[in-house]
Each structure stands twice: as C-alpha cells, then as structure tokens.
Amino acid sequence: MALYESVIIGRQDLTPGQFETLLKKFIEVIQSFKGEIIKRENWGIRNLAYKINKNRKGHYMLLNIDGPPEAIKEYERLMRLDEDVIRFLTIKIKSIDEKPSPLMVNNSDRTKNETPKNENFSAFDNE
C-alpha cells in the first residue's frame, strides 16, 4: 500500500461535530478498501487566502493515509461531490513524519529555538 497526505477544508458554517461526521464518512471509505489513517490533525478554523464560494474561513484537517490507490480515487470522488468540502489536496508521500506539523507546534516551542536577544547590546558600544 502507498502513503498519502491529504488536507481537507470544510465550510465555515459547519459545527465541529458536523465536520467530524463528514470526515468519518470519508475515513470509512478508506477503511472499506483496507486502508488505514496513520495520523490525523485538526487544524481548526483558519482564514482562507481568498474567498471561495462566499467563504472566508474553513475547517482544516490533515490526514496521513496508508492505503491502495483505489481507496484514494473513491475518497477524492466523494469529496468532489460533497457540498460541505470547499477544497482538498491529496499527495503521495514516501514516509509519514510522526512529529506534529508546524501548524500544531505551539508558539512557545518556536520561541525556545530562537537565539536570545541581547538587550544590553547597542550599536554605539564600540564607539
């Protein structure tokens, strides 16, 4: 079986429960073809780069899938037909990264890795 990464954007007016129900339908299709969801990340409601079908925001979800190509074809076909899915993108990948995606990493974790700023430094210290 092959590895895939899929990002789904659902309409902004769906409740989180409705969005979960929608995803369960797609996950069941993958499982019916003997596929498996390896990793799942809910990125929450985020702003879209531009308006799509009068939506300014959307529910984002990342799925890492291990399954046959037939499962992905059916999965994408059903997403195309569903009016609650604004956009989706599925790509084939070589390996699944077990670490959380950059969107899931807290801001505090990002600031830990930054170099500390020297507040006593002045451009005029050398004069």
Side-chain angles (χ1 to χ4, degrees):
M1 287 201 260
L3 300 174
Y4 299 91
E5 188 169 272
S6 181
V7 176
I8 304 165
I9 306 174
R11 288 185 318 150
Q12 66 186 3
D13 56 345
L14 293 175
T15 65
Q18 290 172 323
F19 188 59
E20 282 297 320
T21 305
L22 178 68
L23 289 172
K24 283 181 187 176
K25 180 175 72 170
F26 298 133
I27 291 171
E28 287 172 0
V29 169
I30 291 168
Q31 291 172 342
S32 70
F33 283 88
K34 306 292 187 239
E36 182 183 0
I37 304 298
I38 304 295
K39 186 168 103 175
R40 178 179 171 168
E41 290 183 358
N42 187 350
W43 293 346
I45 296 180
R46 304 182 61 80
N47 289 329
L48 299 172
Y50 53 89
K51 249 186 182 181
I52 302 172
N53 297 335
K54 300 181 183 177
N55 291 293
R56 294 182 183 273
K57 296 182 179 197
H59 291 270
Y60 281 71
M61 179 67 76
L62 169 78
L63 299 175
N64 284 339
I65 304 166
D66 183 10
E70 297 82 27
I72 301 302
K73 284 181 185 176
E74 180 64 14
Y75 164 76
E76 288 185 338
R77 186 186 73 81
L78 290 175
M79 282 196 285
R80 266 188 236 102
L81 295 174
D82 201 311
E83 294 176 357
D84 292 332
V85 176
I86 298 173
R87 291 282 192 274
F88 65 90
L89 176 67
T90 305
I91 58 172
K92 190 172 184 178
I93 56 177
K94 293 183 181 183
S95 66
I96 293 177
D97 190 8
E98 295 298 325
K99 296 183 293 188
S101 65
L103 287 176
M104 295 300 290
V105 177
N106 290 337
N107 288 336
S108 61
D109 292 341
R110 290 183 195 161
T111 56
K112 277 189 228 175
N113 296 332
E114 290 180 4
T115 56
K117 294 180 182 174
N118 187 351
E119 294 162 359
N120 297 327
F121 176 75
S122 171
F124 301 106
D125 283 346
N126 294 334
E127 293 179 1

